[in-house]
Amino acid sequence: MIAVRGWIIILGSLVVALVAPHFLPPGFSDWLTRLSTLILVAASWNMMANAGLISLGHSGFWGLGAYSAALLANAFHIPFWLSIVPAMLLGAFFGACLAYITGRLRGLFFAIATLATSEALRVVALMVPKLTGGAEGVFVFDQIRPDRITMTSFSLCLAVATVATSYFLSRSRYQYALRAMRDSESAVQMLGVNPARFRIGVTALSGAIASCAGVITAWFTGYIDPGSAFDLKITISAQIAPLFGGLYTVTGPVVGSIAILALSELTRLYFNYSGGVGLLVYGCILVFGVLMMPSGLVGLWKRRRKPVVTDAAVPARAK
Amino acid sequence: MTAAMLELDNIRAGYNDAIAVENISLTVGQSEVVCLLGANGAGKTTTMRVVTGLIPLLGGTIRYNGEDISQMPPHERVTAGICLSPEGRQVFPDLTVMENLSLGSFNRRARRNRAQTLDQVLTLFPKLAERSGQAAGLMSGGEQQMLAIGRALMGQPKLLALDEPSLGLSPKMVSTVFESIQTIARSGITILLVEQNTRAALSIAQRGYVLSAGRVVHEGTAADLAQSEMVQKAFVGAAFTKQSVRKSRRERRLAESNPGGAGA
Amino acid sequence: MASLIFQIVVDSLLLGGVYTLMAVGLSLAFGVTRIINFAHGDIVMYGAYAAFFAFVSLNIDPLLSLLFVAILGAIGGYLLFKLTLDRILDAPGINQVLLTFGLGLVLQNVAVILWTGDERSTTPSYAFDSWFLSDDIVVAKGRLIAFGLAVAFVVLLLAWLRWSELGRATRAVSQNRAAASLMGINVRAMYALSFGLSSSFGTATGAIMSFLLPITPFMGFPILVKAFAIIILGGLDSIVGTVIGAFLLATAETTIAYVVPQGIGWAEGVAFFLLVIVLIVRPTGILGTVGRDA
Ligand SMILES: Nc1ncnc2c1ncn2[C@@H]1O[C@H](COP(=O)(O)OP(=O)(O)OP(=O)(O)O)[C@@H](O)[C@H]1O
Ligand SMILES: [Mg+2]
């Protein structure tokens, strides 16, 4: 029954995504495009977090997507909607490799490994100018860039598809395995799931989705360089949105993305975008989010509707 | 019975969501030797952890010299005179024997008389003096056990808690260790002793409690317990026949669950 | 050729000293608390700014302000720990990663707002001096001084850990916290102390770097990643391992900078590549004892 409701919501959102951009002012349309990319990275980051994998390397997926789309488009003049296929494949492949080679690493070390990999990619993009244009970056041919309305519709549809994916993932039997992986992988083995394969699967999926966001940005801005495509800020917003909205939930990344994007517009209005304020706000969200509301906005909302009995936390380890 | 030094009143404790001990009440008098007996998993170690504050108390009260210490953090209990030689020894493997012993007297009260206490401990366990410069992790299990007891003694305990001091020791070492415990007891230190080796424990204790499935099922003087049908059947018999097998299995389990003793 | 090799050796050695200092604080705090401080690089950056302002407004040489900067760093680190991490010690590791990451962002962007992205540096006379060992082997005086200070600090730390009462307690906590609390050690207080000490090493590194590198609010991130690479190479909680890791990274960077075409650019990426390789090939580092399940 609920699955039916889920389908209706998804189809409805898709229709809205296709129709609405025709009637929106350009500024808002652009805002929606940026929101979609944020939802893509945030939801994909949250998928990995769900399985206990903290990624500090989502900018790596993003950059891979952006570069592969831009370079392929320039070389073969493929249209923007097609360029998403090789980008997603590359993102998935890279994610799978990452999960495979970091097989034994947990938590913290996995996080550091992802951070290092994405930064290594940035250095490669910078230092191999023959392929990537180096520090000067790449322009996407203007003739093949889609118009604004198509761009917005396309990104919104991708965002809806992503949220739908995490929704169905959360309702599937894998959800238990994912949650169990967060606690301990040996418990997952008892569920009859191969944790190594599972890690690879989740990371590949997450990578594919995150690289879509890069593709959109490349087409949207028409220009990329190593600094912006592999920007650590991407990773930061990918983790802040779910944390702000509600970690491990389906709606959390969406709510969080809307909230922080609105917040960053506001701060920009108020502070004239003097450098640093936006990121300072992000930093404060991270700090206060972790300290004061670890279950995010969605958690606050849920708690308001039905009071949750907080179990007396018993620290397992001696203080 | 002399005035109660340690008093557990209906305590409850456990790990995460599992309750391991419940409704445990017991007292230990000044200068008394009291032993806790019970099968594997009965909750003896858990009780010791609650007494020393390593795990939080979920219900009931703990009084020490009449003062409520239920919420006192572990390091303050040490300063107050409660020192534990923990199950599985838990020596600092990369530190030398001497460093381990010095750490035993880290607390303010004991630090003042460190040299003197050290002399006493080394007299009690001459082996430790021979090995003073060696990394503790490289010593034999028995030597580590002596170190764990010696380290607890270095804290100048008023109440010495010993969790299975004979674990993994050869029969000869067991008697050495029990002689040492008796010496310690004679010097006036109160002792709370957990032991699988029931006969040895009852031979040096004045009173004892029998735990089963997290509750006290029996208590009495050492002589009573030694005679008791139930204790005889439940533990002493088992201790004679299966002792060596069980010990080696338990040893292995401890080693697996706590590699290198690092990370609590 | 021979002189090139010799120059590489000299440069690696000098760089390795500073790198050790940069990473040793991170390793110390991790050993005790098992928390990686993602804000460590930004703490270094604040040390550099402190030394810079002492130099331009009060005319105090960085080598002199070093001590005050280190003390300020210790106080700052201690407070930072007490106000934030201390409250979530029992939370899952992901929260600690996100928290220190967020702290780093806050520190960095406060600096951006206060001091803009402009590059600055302290300019004591020795920053520009160098000696020629032979015709083509150069030793920069600033780097030599930095090296000497780094060695002194690390030796002091090792001595403190080895012989002092608190140093011994620090080692005890990093080996077995439950047992340490049974020794009467206040484990939480040791956490805060180790964070304070770690930050003090961080800011001292910053003060020294103030005459070696341009000071910007963004200098923290590469420092952080290099420090990661170093302590992971060295096995995370081993100070001696950290020293080895630092010299390995320094040698790798210096060699690549001299030998590979466009080497300076690639050298900036060495830390990342090394990190990935080490994490995959030998996840316990060179001297590490820490299982990678943290
Ligand atoms: N660290 C822990 N985490 C979770 N459960 C534990 C832990 N330690 C003990 N338990 C559980 O608590 C119960 C009591 O264990 P405890 O260690 O107190 O028994 P014990 O009487 O000391 O047994 P033994 O003679 O084997 O040492 C057991 O059911 C055990 O499974
Ligand atoms: Mg036990």
Side-chain angles (χ1 to χ4, degrees), chain C residues 15 18-19 22 44 48 52 119-123 127 143 205-216 219-220 222-223 226 253 268:
Chain C
L15 188 62
V18 184
Y19 277 7
M22 179 171 91
V44 174
F52 172 79
E119 290 191 355
R120 298 155 206 240
S121 61
T122 57
T123 48
R143 292 195 163 218
T205 311
I208 290 174
M209 283 187 169
S210 73
F211 55 84
L212 298 179
L213 292 177
I215 306 169
T216 77
M219 67 191 285
I223 291 176
K226 284 179 186 180
E253 281 189 3
E268 281 308 299

PDB file of all heavy atoms in Angstrom, chain C residues 15 18-19 22 44 48 52 119-123 127 143 205-216 219-220 222-223 226 253 268:
ATOM      1  N   LEU C  15      63.401  19.254   5.686  1.00  0.00           N
ATOM      2  CA  LEU C  15      61.947  19.266   5.572  1.00  0.00           C
ATOM      3  C   LEU C  15      61.328  18.262   6.544  1.00  0.00           C
ATOM      4  O   LEU C  15      60.317  18.540   7.194  1.00  0.00           O
ATOM      5  CB  LEU C  15      61.557  18.913   4.131  1.00  0.00           C
ATOM      6  CG  LEU C  15      60.088  19.063   3.764  1.00  0.00           C
ATOM      7  CD1 LEU C  15      59.660  20.510   3.919  1.00  0.00           C
ATOM      8  CD2 LEU C  15      59.849  18.597   2.331  1.00  0.00           C
ATOM      9  N   VAL C  18      60.516  19.513  10.114  1.00  0.00           N
ATOM     10  CA  VAL C  18      59.280  20.294  10.259  1.00  0.00           C
ATOM     11  C   VAL C  18      58.067  19.393  10.129  1.00  0.00           C
ATOM     12  O   VAL C  18      57.070  19.545  10.841  1.00  0.00           O
ATOM     13  CB  VAL C  18      59.225  21.414   9.200  1.00  0.00           C
ATOM     14  CG1 VAL C  18      58.003  22.280   9.406  1.00  0.00           C
ATOM     15  CG2 VAL C  18      60.473  22.246   9.277  1.00  0.00           C
ATOM     16  N   TYR C  19      58.156  18.448   9.197  1.00  0.00           N
ATOM     17  CA  TYR C  19      57.038  17.530   9.011  1.00  0.00           C
ATOM     18  C   TYR C  19      56.779  16.717  10.280  1.00  0.00           C
ATOM     19  O   TYR C  19      55.636  16.454  10.641  1.00  0.00           O
ATOM     20  CB  TYR C  19      57.305  16.588   7.831  1.00  0.00           C
ATOM     21  CG  TYR C  19      56.965  17.196   6.487  1.00  0.00           C
ATOM     22  CD1 TYR C  19      56.597  18.529   6.383  1.00  0.00           C
ATOM     23  CD2 TYR C  19      56.998  16.437   5.326  1.00  0.00           C
ATOM     24  CE1 TYR C  19      56.279  19.086   5.163  1.00  0.00           C
ATOM     25  CE2 TYR C  19      56.675  16.978   4.101  1.00  0.00           C
ATOM     26  CZ  TYR C  19      56.323  18.307   4.020  1.00  0.00           C
ATOM     27  OH  TYR C  19      56.005  18.854   2.813  1.00  0.00           O
ATOM     28  N   MET C  22      54.933  18.799  12.646  1.00  0.00           N
ATOM     29  CA  MET C  22      53.588  19.029  12.155  1.00  0.00           C
ATOM     30  C   MET C  22      52.663  17.850  12.489  1.00  0.00           C
ATOM     31  O   MET C  22      51.498  18.027  12.803  1.00  0.00           O
ATOM     32  CB  MET C  22      53.716  19.197  10.634  1.00  0.00           C
ATOM     33  CG  MET C  22      52.502  19.413   9.846  1.00  0.00           C
ATOM     34  SD  MET C  22      53.052  19.817   8.170  1.00  0.00           S
ATOM     35  CE  MET C  22      53.081  18.203   7.428  1.00  0.00           C
ATOM     36  N   VAL C  44      47.434  24.701  13.159  1.00  0.00           N
ATOM     37  CA  VAL C  44      48.763  25.122  12.692  1.00  0.00           C
ATOM     38  C   VAL C  44      48.673  26.517  12.075  1.00  0.00           C
ATOM     39  O   VAL C  44      49.495  27.396  12.350  1.00  0.00           O
ATOM     40  CB  VAL C  44      49.326  24.110  11.660  1.00  0.00           C
ATOM     41  CG1 VAL C  44      50.622  24.614  11.057  1.00  0.00           C
ATOM     42  CG2 VAL C  44      49.531  22.749  12.301  1.00  0.00           C
ATOM     43  N   ALA C  48      50.578  30.134  12.869  1.00  0.00           N
ATOM     44  CA  ALA C  48      51.319  30.958  11.914  1.00  0.00           C
ATOM     45  C   ALA C  48      50.841  32.408  11.968  1.00  0.00           C
ATOM     46  O   ALA C  48      51.653  33.341  11.986  1.00  0.00           O
ATOM     47  CB  ALA C  48      51.151  30.383  10.510  1.00  0.00           C
ATOM     48  N   PHE C  52      52.817  35.740  12.974  1.00  0.00           N
ATOM     49  CA  PHE C  52      52.870  36.843  12.011  1.00  0.00           C
ATOM     50  C   PHE C  52      52.508  38.175  12.675  1.00  0.00           C
ATOM     51  O   PHE C  52      53.213  39.170  12.541  1.00  0.00           O
ATOM     52  CB  PHE C  52      51.918  36.570  10.849  1.00  0.00           C
ATOM     53  CG  PHE C  52      51.762  37.729   9.918  1.00  0.00           C
ATOM     54  CD1 PHE C  52      52.739  38.002   8.970  1.00  0.00           C
ATOM     55  CD2 PHE C  52      50.657  38.568  10.001  1.00  0.00           C
ATOM     56  CE1 PHE C  52      52.620  39.084   8.126  1.00  0.00           C
ATOM     57  CE2 PHE C  52      50.529  39.652   9.157  1.00  0.00           C
ATOM     58  CZ  PHE C  52      51.509  39.920   8.211  1.00  0.00           C
ATOM     59  N   GLU C 119      48.149  36.428   1.002  1.00  0.00           N
ATOM     60  CA  GLU C 119      49.323  35.710   1.496  1.00  0.00           C
ATOM     61  C   GLU C 119      50.179  36.633   2.350  1.00  0.00           C
ATOM     62  O   GLU C 119      50.394  37.791   2.011  1.00  0.00           O
ATOM     63  CB  GLU C 119      50.158  35.200   0.333  1.00  0.00           C
ATOM     64  CG  GLU C 119      49.491  34.078  -0.417  1.00  0.00           C
ATOM     65  CD  GLU C 119      50.440  33.416  -1.400  1.00  0.00           C
ATOM     66  OE1 GLU C 119      51.579  33.911  -1.548  1.00  0.00           O
ATOM     67  OE2 GLU C 119      50.040  32.411  -2.008  1.00  0.00           O
ATOM     68  N   ARG C 120      50.619  36.129   3.467  1.00  0.00           N
ATOM     69  CA  ARG C 120      51.537  36.901   4.305  1.00  0.00           C
ATOM     70  C   ARG C 120      52.693  36.015   4.694  1.00  0.00           C
ATOM     71  O   ARG C 120      52.640  34.800   4.542  1.00  0.00           O
ATOM     72  CB  ARG C 120      50.848  37.335   5.602  1.00  0.00           C
ATOM     73  CG  ARG C 120      49.669  38.240   5.381  1.00  0.00           C
ATOM     74  CD  ARG C 120      48.710  38.127   6.533  1.00  0.00           C
ATOM     75  NE  ARG C 120      47.381  38.464   6.079  1.00  0.00           N
ATOM     76  CZ  ARG C 120      46.650  39.468   6.582  1.00  0.00           C
ATOM     77  NH1 ARG C 120      47.121  40.202   7.568  1.00  0.00           N
ATOM     78  NH2 ARG C 120      45.472  39.724   6.112  1.00  0.00           N
ATOM     79  N   SER C 121      53.730  36.643   5.260  1.00  0.00           N
ATOM     80  CA  SER C 121      54.759  35.823   5.888  1.00  0.00           C
ATOM     81  C   SER C 121      55.602  36.704   6.789  1.00  0.00           C
ATOM     82  O   SER C 121      55.664  37.921   6.626  1.00  0.00           O
ATOM     83  CB  SER C 121      55.634  35.125   4.852  1.00  0.00           C
ATOM     84  OG  SER C 121      56.279  36.088   4.074  1.00  0.00           O
ATOM     85  N   THR C 122      56.193  36.076   7.786  1.00  0.00           N
ATOM     86  CA  THR C 122      57.126  36.824   8.622  1.00  0.00           C
ATOM     87  C   THR C 122      58.447  36.867   7.879  1.00  0.00           C
ATOM     88  O   THR C 122      58.783  35.947   7.142  1.00  0.00           O
ATOM     89  CB  THR C 122      57.322  36.146   9.979  1.00  0.00           C
ATOM     90  OG1 THR C 122      57.774  34.817   9.755  1.00  0.00           O
ATOM     91  CG2 THR C 122      56.028  36.117  10.764  1.00  0.00           C
ATOM     92  N   THR C 123      59.168  37.961   8.072  1.00  0.00           N
ATOM     93  CA  THR C 123      60.390  38.125   7.286  1.00  0.00           C
ATOM     94  C   THR C 123      61.590  38.446   8.165  1.00  0.00           C
ATOM     95  O   THR C 123      62.201  39.506   8.021  1.00  0.00           O
ATOM     96  CB  THR C 123      60.213  39.261   6.266  1.00  0.00           C
ATOM     97  OG1 THR C 123      59.658  40.390   6.977  1.00  0.00           O
ATOM     98  CG2 THR C 123      59.291  38.858   5.164  1.00  0.00           C
ATOM     99  N   ALA C 127      65.323  34.272   7.328  1.00  0.00           N
ATOM    100  CA  ALA C 127      64.441  33.601   6.377  1.00  0.00           C
ATOM    101  C   ALA C 127      65.030  33.625   4.972  1.00  0.00           C
ATOM    102  O   ALA C 127      64.669  32.807   4.135  1.00  0.00           O
ATOM    103  CB  ALA C 127      63.061  34.237   6.379  1.00  0.00           C
ATOM    104  N   ARG C 143      65.400  27.055   7.166  1.00  0.00           N
ATOM    105  CA  ARG C 143      65.046  25.642   7.274  1.00  0.00           C
ATOM    106  C   ARG C 143      65.905  24.936   8.304  1.00  0.00           C
ATOM    107  O   ARG C 143      65.430  24.034   9.006  1.00  0.00           O
ATOM    108  CB  ARG C 143      65.209  24.955   5.930  1.00  0.00           C
ATOM    109  CG  ARG C 143      64.207  25.454   4.945  1.00  0.00           C
ATOM    110  CD  ARG C 143      64.124  24.551   3.747  1.00  0.00           C
ATOM    111  NE  ARG C 143      62.883  24.861   3.054  1.00  0.00           N
ATOM    112  CZ  ARG C 143      62.108  23.965   2.481  1.00  0.00           C
ATOM    113  NH1 ARG C 143      62.452  22.693   2.523  1.00  0.00           N
ATOM    114  NH2 ARG C 143      61.012  24.315   1.888  1.00  0.00           N
ATOM    115  N   THR C 205      54.322  24.575  15.370  1.00  0.00           N
ATOM    116  CA  THR C 205      54.650  24.308  13.962  1.00  0.00           C
ATOM    117  C   THR C 205      54.294  25.514  13.108  1.00  0.00           C
ATOM    118  O   THR C 205      55.070  25.922  12.234  1.00  0.00           O
ATOM    119  CB  THR C 205      53.851  23.100  13.436  1.00  0.00           C
ATOM    120  OG1 THR C 205      53.968  22.034  14.366  1.00  0.00           O
ATOM    121  CG2 THR C 205      54.358  22.661  12.096  1.00  0.00           C
ATOM    122  N   GLY C 206      53.131  26.080  13.371  1.00  0.00           N
ATOM    123  CA  GLY C 206      52.695  27.238  12.602  1.00  0.00           C
ATOM    124  C   GLY C 206      53.671  28.390  12.744  1.00  0.00           C
ATOM    125  O   GLY C 206      54.035  29.039  11.748  1.00  0.00           O
ATOM    126  N   ALA C 207      54.100  28.659  13.977  1.00  0.00           N
ATOM    127  CA  ALA C 207      55.030  29.765  14.192  1.00  0.00           C
ATOM    128  C   ALA C 207      56.309  29.543  13.397  1.00  0.00           C
ATOM    129  O   ALA C 207      56.858  30.473  12.796  1.00  0.00           O
ATOM    130  CB  ALA C 207      55.344  29.897  15.679  1.00  0.00           C
ATOM    131  N   ILE C 208      56.768  28.298  13.374  1.00  0.00           N
ATOM    132  CA  ILE C 208      57.990  28.013  12.628  1.00  0.00           C
ATOM    133  C   ILE C 208      57.741  28.136  11.125  1.00  0.00           C
ATOM    134  O   ILE C 208      58.562  28.670  10.377  1.00  0.00           O
ATOM    135  CB  ILE C 208      58.504  26.601  12.979  1.00  0.00           C
ATOM    136  CG1 ILE C 208      59.019  26.603  14.422  1.00  0.00           C
ATOM    137  CG2 ILE C 208      59.599  26.174  12.030  1.00  0.00           C
ATOM    138  CD1 ILE C 208      59.421  25.259  14.932  1.00  0.00           C
ATOM    139  N   MET C 209      56.576  27.671  10.686  1.00  0.00           N
ATOM    140  CA  MET C 209      56.288  27.734   9.256  1.00  0.00           C
ATOM    141  C   MET C 209      56.085  29.165   8.780  1.00  0.00           C
ATOM    142  O   MET C 209      56.130  29.426   7.588  1.00  0.00           O
ATOM    143  CB  MET C 209      55.038  26.918   8.941  1.00  0.00           C
ATOM    144  CG  MET C 209      55.331  25.445   8.922  1.00  0.00           C
ATOM    145  SD  MET C 209      53.908  24.544   8.361  1.00  0.00           S
ATOM    146  CE  MET C 209      54.618  22.931   8.116  1.00  0.00           C
ATOM    147  N   SER C 210      55.846  30.081   9.738  1.00  0.00           N
ATOM    148  CA  SER C 210      55.542  31.453   9.332  1.00  0.00           C
ATOM    149  C   SER C 210      56.693  32.079   8.568  1.00  0.00           C
ATOM    150  O   SER C 210      56.492  33.026   7.823  1.00  0.00           O
ATOM    151  CB  SER C 210      55.190  32.299  10.554  1.00  0.00           C
ATOM    152  OG  SER C 210      56.357  32.567  11.290  1.00  0.00           O
ATOM    153  N   PHE C 211      57.907  31.567   8.726  1.00  0.00           N
ATOM    154  CA  PHE C 211      58.982  32.127   7.908  1.00  0.00           C
ATOM    155  C   PHE C 211      59.445  31.162   6.815  1.00  0.00           C
ATOM    156  O   PHE C 211      60.443  31.382   6.174  1.00  0.00           O
ATOM    157  CB  PHE C 211      60.160  32.615   8.765  1.00  0.00           C
ATOM    158  CG  PHE C 211      60.744  31.599   9.699  1.00  0.00           C
ATOM    159  CD1 PHE C 211      61.685  30.696   9.250  1.00  0.00           C
ATOM    160  CD2 PHE C 211      60.374  31.577  11.041  1.00  0.00           C
ATOM    161  CE1 PHE C 211      62.247  29.772  10.112  1.00  0.00           C
ATOM    162  CE2 PHE C 211      60.922  30.663  11.911  1.00  0.00           C
ATOM    163  CZ  PHE C 211      61.866  29.743  11.445  1.00  0.00           C
ATOM    164  N   LEU C 212      58.702  30.072   6.638  1.00  0.00           N
ATOM    165  CA  LEU C 212      59.061  29.131   5.563  1.00  0.00           C
ATOM    166  C   LEU C 212      58.053  29.154   4.424  1.00  0.00           C
ATOM    167  O   LEU C 212      58.402  28.996   3.266  1.00  0.00           O
ATOM    168  CB  LEU C 212      59.137  27.702   6.108  1.00  0.00           C
ATOM    169  CG  LEU C 212      60.183  27.423   7.179  1.00  0.00           C
ATOM    170  CD1 LEU C 212      60.093  25.974   7.626  1.00  0.00           C
ATOM    171  CD2 LEU C 212      61.576  27.715   6.646  1.00  0.00           C
ATOM    172  N   LEU C 213      56.769  29.331   4.780  1.00  0.00           N
ATOM    173  CA  LEU C 213      55.694  29.208   3.796  1.00  0.00           C
ATOM    174  C   LEU C 213      54.855  30.469   3.806  1.00  0.00           C
ATOM    175  O   LEU C 213      54.792  31.163   4.814  1.00  0.00           O
ATOM    176  CB  LEU C 213      54.756  28.055   4.169  1.00  0.00           C
ATOM    177  CG  LEU C 213      55.235  26.629   4.097  1.00  0.00           C
ATOM    178  CD1 LEU C 213      54.138  25.709   4.579  1.00  0.00           C
ATOM    179  CD2 LEU C 213      55.627  26.295   2.678  1.00  0.00           C
ATOM    180  N   PRO C 214      54.162  30.747   2.691  1.00  0.00           N
ATOM    181  CA  PRO C 214      53.183  31.837   2.747  1.00  0.00           C
ATOM    182  C   PRO C 214      52.049  31.478   3.706  1.00  0.00           C
ATOM    183  O   PRO C 214      51.597  30.328   3.729  1.00  0.00           O
ATOM    184  CB  PRO C 214      52.670  31.928   1.305  1.00  0.00           C
ATOM    185  CG  PRO C 214      53.110  30.691   0.635  1.00  0.00           C
ATOM    186  CD  PRO C 214      54.302  30.181   1.362  1.00  0.00           C
ATOM    187  N   ILE C 215      51.616  32.458   4.500  1.00  0.00           N
ATOM    188  CA  ILE C 215      50.537  32.209   5.458  1.00  0.00           C
ATOM    189  C   ILE C 215      49.221  32.614   4.824  1.00  0.00           C
ATOM    190  O   ILE C 215      49.037  33.760   4.428  1.00  0.00           O
ATOM    191  CB  ILE C 215      50.749  33.053   6.731  1.00  0.00           C
ATOM    192  CG1 ILE C 215      52.135  32.804   7.298  1.00  0.00           C
ATOM    193  CG2 ILE C 215      49.680  32.736   7.763  1.00  0.00           C
ATOM    194  CD1 ILE C 215      52.512  33.785   8.377  1.00  0.00           C
ATOM    195  N   THR C 216      48.314  31.656   4.708  1.00  0.00           N
ATOM    196  CA  THR C 216      46.955  31.977   4.247  1.00  0.00           C
ATOM    197  C   THR C 216      45.983  31.160   5.095  1.00  0.00           C
ATOM    198  O   THR C 216      46.391  30.207   5.753  1.00  0.00           O
ATOM    199  CB  THR C 216      46.726  31.584   2.774  1.00  0.00           C
ATOM    200  OG1 THR C 216      46.543  30.167   2.713  1.00  0.00           O
ATOM    201  CG2 THR C 216      47.854  31.990   1.877  1.00  0.00           C
ATOM    202  N   MET C 219      46.125  27.335   4.297  1.00  0.00           N
ATOM    203  CA  MET C 219      47.337  26.522   4.401  1.00  0.00           C
ATOM    204  C   MET C 219      47.090  25.255   5.226  1.00  0.00           C
ATOM    205  O   MET C 219      47.852  24.298   5.151  1.00  0.00           O
ATOM    206  CB  MET C 219      48.474  27.336   5.009  1.00  0.00           C
ATOM    207  CG  MET C 219      48.242  27.717   6.464  1.00  0.00           C
ATOM    208  SD  MET C 219      49.424  28.936   7.082  1.00  0.00           S
ATOM    209  CE  MET C 219      50.887  27.941   7.279  1.00  0.00           C
ATOM    210  N   GLY C 220      45.991  25.248   5.993  1.00  0.00           N
ATOM    211  CA  GLY C 220      45.754  24.134   6.906  1.00  0.00           C
ATOM    212  C   GLY C 220      45.491  22.811   6.230  1.00  0.00           C
ATOM    213  O   GLY C 220      45.959  21.770   6.684  1.00  0.00           O
ATOM    214  N   PRO C 222      46.381  21.312   3.188  1.00  0.00           N
ATOM    215  CA  PRO C 222      47.512  20.477   2.779  1.00  0.00           C
ATOM    216  C   PRO C 222      48.337  19.990   3.966  1.00  0.00           C
ATOM    217  O   PRO C 222      48.843  18.866   3.951  1.00  0.00           O
ATOM    218  CB  PRO C 222      48.339  21.402   1.876  1.00  0.00           C
ATOM    219  CG  PRO C 222      47.673  22.707   1.856  1.00  0.00           C
ATOM    220  CD  PRO C 222      46.353  22.605   2.512  1.00  0.00           C
ATOM    221  N   ILE C 223      48.440  20.818   4.990  1.00  0.00           N
ATOM    222  CA  ILE C 223      49.182  20.390   6.171  1.00  0.00           C
ATOM    223  C   ILE C 223      48.508  19.192   6.819  1.00  0.00           C
ATOM    224  O   ILE C 223      49.150  18.213   7.189  1.00  0.00           O
ATOM    225  CB  ILE C 223      49.301  21.562   7.168  1.00  0.00           C
ATOM    226  CG1 ILE C 223      50.231  22.620   6.593  1.00  0.00           C
ATOM    227  CG2 ILE C 223      49.788  21.084   8.518  1.00  0.00           C
ATOM    228  CD1 ILE C 223      50.350  23.844   7.445  1.00  0.00           C
ATOM    229  N   LYS C 226      49.054  16.070   4.743  1.00  0.00           N
ATOM    230  CA  LYS C 226      50.421  15.567   4.892  1.00  0.00           C
ATOM    231  C   LYS C 226      50.599  14.907   6.251  1.00  0.00           C
ATOM    232  O   LYS C 226      51.230  13.851   6.375  1.00  0.00           O
ATOM    233  CB  LYS C 226      51.420  16.706   4.719  1.00  0.00           C
ATOM    234  CG  LYS C 226      51.577  17.065   3.267  1.00  0.00           C
ATOM    235  CD  LYS C 226      52.536  18.203   3.045  1.00  0.00           C
ATOM    236  CE  LYS C 226      52.484  18.563   1.570  1.00  0.00           C
ATOM    237  NZ  LYS C 226      53.380  19.661   1.231  1.00  0.00           N
ATOM    238  N   GLU C 253      58.812  13.674  -1.437  1.00  0.00           N
ATOM    239  CA  GLU C 253      58.452  14.966  -2.046  1.00  0.00           C
ATOM    240  C   GLU C 253      59.668  15.646  -2.655  1.00  0.00           C
ATOM    241  O   GLU C 253      59.628  16.128  -3.788  1.00  0.00           O
ATOM    242  CB  GLU C 253      57.842  15.888  -0.988  1.00  0.00           C
ATOM    243  CG  GLU C 253      56.399  15.556  -0.691  1.00  0.00           C
ATOM    244  CD  GLU C 253      55.745  16.610   0.194  1.00  0.00           C
ATOM    245  OE1 GLU C 253      56.408  17.619   0.523  1.00  0.00           O
ATOM    246  OE2 GLU C 253      54.585  16.417   0.543  1.00  0.00           O
ATOM    247  N   GLU C 268      53.258  18.126  -4.576  1.00  0.00           N
ATOM    248  CA  GLU C 268      52.119  18.456  -3.720  1.00  0.00           C
ATOM    249  C   GLU C 268      51.140  17.293  -3.598  1.00  0.00           C
ATOM    250  O   GLU C 268      50.368  17.222  -2.661  1.00  0.00           O
ATOM    251  CB  GLU C 268      51.390  19.690  -4.279  1.00  0.00           C
ATOM    252  CG  GLU C 268      52.086  20.990  -3.956  1.00  0.00           C
ATOM    253  CD  GLU C 268      52.375  21.136  -2.471  1.00  0.00           C
ATOM    254  OE1 GLU C 268      51.415  21.144  -1.688  1.00  0.00           O
ATOM    255  OE2 GLU C 268      53.561  21.210  -2.095  1.00  0.00           O
TER     256      GLU C 268
END
